[in-house]
Amino acid sequence: MRSFISLFVVVALALSIFGCGGSKPLTQTRTDPMPEWFSNPPQDPNFLYAPRTASSRDLNMAIEKATTNARAEIARQYELKVEGLTKSFQEEVGTDEDSEINQLFSQTIKTVVSTQLMGSRAAKVSHVKDGMNYRAYVLVEYPIGAANQAFMNALKANQNMYTRFRASESFKEMDDEVQKYEEWKKAQATKMQ
Amino acid sequence: MCPNSRWLLTTAIAVLAMLTTAGVSAAQEYPGWFLNPGALDCRTPVVGYSYPAYHADSAAVLAIRDGFINYAKQRDLTISGGQAFWTTEIGMFWMGSNFVESFDSSRAGHAENVLAPQDTVFRDSFIFTLLAGDGCELNDDARAMHQMGASGQPAWVEATPKDSAFHYGVGVAPQYFYELSSWREAEKYACRNLARTILTSVQSLGKLGYQGQEIINEEVPVRLRDWQVAARWMNPDEKIFYVLVRMPKRQRGIVEPESVLK
């Protein structure tokens, strides 16, 4: 019995000594500078870029939040670009209130932007400890050529409208971007060989 | 010293020793084949993990079985589901996720005929083994142990590689009590990021007015085929684990989003 009490006292003493870890500051301010690519994202006419940051106690949750937010931003950027294109196409063909065009383009935007981002990638990811949290910095990139290609493929579903669109300046502009993207892909393939 | 006080002293030393040695023992040395499996001249290299067992050979068998399962996943893995976030002025909140990974587990049985153990490393906290197809010969560099942090951080940790041959995905994980859990989580997120690169569906519903808020939903209906772990790395200072996975771009039937969606 005595030995049991002694053991209990020793364990209790040890726990009380090692359990007191001292007080830690409640908040710690992050002092690391944010990545250069975050404050000054790259500019490339062939890509859309979206830098985003988020924090969480869970490292992966911080990265997921920042990445998803960046992808939503990419979708918005592309949507704006296609809306601009729609307007210029409407001005070109002189049918501002053409409901068929409006419907077709809005449906196509929905298909391409809202349901498919093919080839978007987290090009750069960085994270730092920010007090009790992790702060993640993410740069998502999306090749415009790939998006345009998907857009044109979706337009092809309406053969009549696609034929009209093909004859426009807006199409040529978009087609140039697709061609540039194809050349870039070929150049990448050659580099690899 | 009376017998009782001697006993007391011994007990105190034992308790102190127990308290000071408790925690994660992380020997930060890994063989070349574990850190750079993508550079191996082997067919279908796969790593299997297991927790330590009382008998070392039992742990090794479990690691080999885990390797067979990983082989099945690497041949054909479907990642479906998604997650949603709610963004307000005060931050971004996670609303929930329903990601599901599915694979044909019968391939694991087939792996027994294809793979053979090449090397196994025993640690206090976990065991890992390399399995590969016949004819795999590990060179000295692949077998050599590499100290983490000795050669600096690899470039792929911050900038995801980009080339015309492969799609890439990087996953990270913090240190958990069992190191195995960290490597597995990093691999899981690397696969998810790889799938997102191939196809992501993003829907965003924003509301601007008195209070600005947005709901973002993302979905990933992707099938990964013949992907592999290309590299692993651990940051010894921050205790963060990194895994790089890749999948060949030019392969028939890599992505079948339509069939997965239906």
Side-chain angles (χ1 to χ4, degrees), chain B residues 29-246:
Chain B
E29 260 191 357
Y30 301 92
W33 57 260
F34 183 77
L35 297 174
N36 286 305
L40 294 177
D41 189 18
C42 294
R43 274 178 42 234
T44 60
V46 174
V47 172
Y49 305 100
S50 84
Y51 294 103
Y54 183 77
H55 293 292
D57 50 353
S58 306
V61 168
L62 289 174
I64 291 169
R65 276 194 201 157
D66 186 59
F68 291 158
I69 291 168
N70 289 341
Y71 170 84
K73 281 187 189 171
Q74 290 187 12
R75 297 288 69 74
D76 195 342
L77 176 70
T78 300
I79 299 179
S80 56
Q83 61 185 344
F85 295 93
W86 179 40
T87 308
T88 67
E89 287 101 331
I90 58 167
M92 195 172 183
F93 303 94
W94 180 69
M95 293 173 74
S97 76
N98 64 341
F99 282 108
V100 175
E101 286 185 6
S102 52
F103 64 98
D104 180 1
S105 58
S106 67
R107 282 177 195 261
H110 171 65
E112 290 178 26
N113 307 322
V114 180
L115 303 176
Q118 307 293 328
D119 197 6
T120 305
V121 175
F122 290 85
R123 287 273 168 80
D124 290 345
S125 61
F126 82 125
I127 286 98
F128 50 102
T129 188
L130 172 71
L131 306 166
D134 290 342
C136 176
E137 282 186 17
L138 299 179
N139 58 28
D140 292 344
D141 187 52
R143 285 191 189 277
M145 299 300 273
H146 298 264
Q147 185 77 32
M148 288 290 86
S151 56
Q153 175 171 290
W156 59 265
V157 164
E158 192 163 321
T160 311
K162 180 163 72 172
D163 60 52
S164 63
F166 295 99
H167 292 289
Y168 291 92
V170 176
V172 302
Q175 186 179 42
Y176 293 118
F177 184 82
Y178 284 108
E179 191 182 332
L180 177 159
S181 307
S182 299
W183 288 117
R184 277 188 175 153
E185 181 175 304
E187 198 169 308
K188 184 177 83 178
Y189 278 96
C191 285
R192 208 178 277 179
N193 288 332
L194 173 65
R196 284 190 181 113
T197 300
I198 294 158
L199 182 85
T200 314
S201 149
V202 179
Q203 291 101 29
S204 147
L205 179 66
K207 208 197 244 180
L208 285 170
Y210 178 65
Q211 285 180 319
Q213 53 177 301
E214 184 183 16
I215 291 173
I216 303 170
N217 181 50
E218 69 154 3
E219 297 202 6
V220 183
V222 172
R223 200 165 165 183
L224 303 176
R225 283 188 176 167
D226 290 334
W227 60 274
Q228 66 167 156
V229 176
R232 294 180 182 87
W233 191 70
M234 184 224 176
N235 184 327
D237 302 322
E238 294 176 19
K239 309 275 186 238
I240 305 282
F241 296 73
Y242 297 84
V243 171
L244 173 73
V245 299
R246 69 184 184 192

Side-chain angles (χ1 to χ4, degrees), chain A residues 16-157:
Chain A
S16 62
I17 290 165
F18 287 93
C20 300
S23 60
K24 285 180 184 172
L26 284 175
T27 51
Q28 276 179 296
T29 309
R30 196 181 65 79
T31 50
D32 311 44
M34 59 181 71
E36 168 63 20
W37 49 260
F38 183 81
S39 48
N40 189 15
Q43 301 286 326
D44 188 330
N46 299 315
F47 290 91
L48 295 175
Y49 291 99
R52 282 290 180 271
T53 180
S55 70
S56 171
R57 285 203 173 197
D58 182 85
L59 172 62
N60 272 311
M61 186 51 72
I63 296 173
E64 298 269 297
K65 278 181 183 178
T67 312
T68 309
N69 203 354
R71 280 207 166 89
E73 172 57 22
I74 290 274
R76 275 192 290 270
Q77 283 181 30
Y78 191 68
E79 202 164 347
L80 279 177
K81 183 183 154 61
V82 176
E83 271 171 13
L85 189 83
T86 312
K87 260 195 187 142
S88 64
F89 177 59
Q90 283 171 338
E91 280 165 15
E92 205 179 317
V93 297
T95 50
D96 281 356
E97 297 303 320
D98 190 325
S99 62
E100 194 187 1
I101 292 178
N102 285 338
Q103 199 185 347
L104 173 76
F105 274 84
S106 63
Q107 270 178 4
T108 316
I109 288 169
K110 205 177 156 196
T111 311
V112 176
V113 180
S114 300
T115 67
Q116 282 186 9
L117 279 183
M118 292 178 88
S120 68
R121 56 191 283 276
K124 291 184 191 295
V125 180
S126 175
H127 48 81
V128 288
K129 198 88 168 106
D130 186 6
M132 296 289 284
N133 291 342
Y134 287 100
R135 175 159 289 281
Y137 295 91
V138 173
L139 178 76
V140 171
E141 72 170 27
Y142 186 46
I144 294 176
N148 286 345
Q149 213 163 31
F151 182 80
M152 290 223 263
N153 287 341
L155 269 186
K156 277 180 192 169

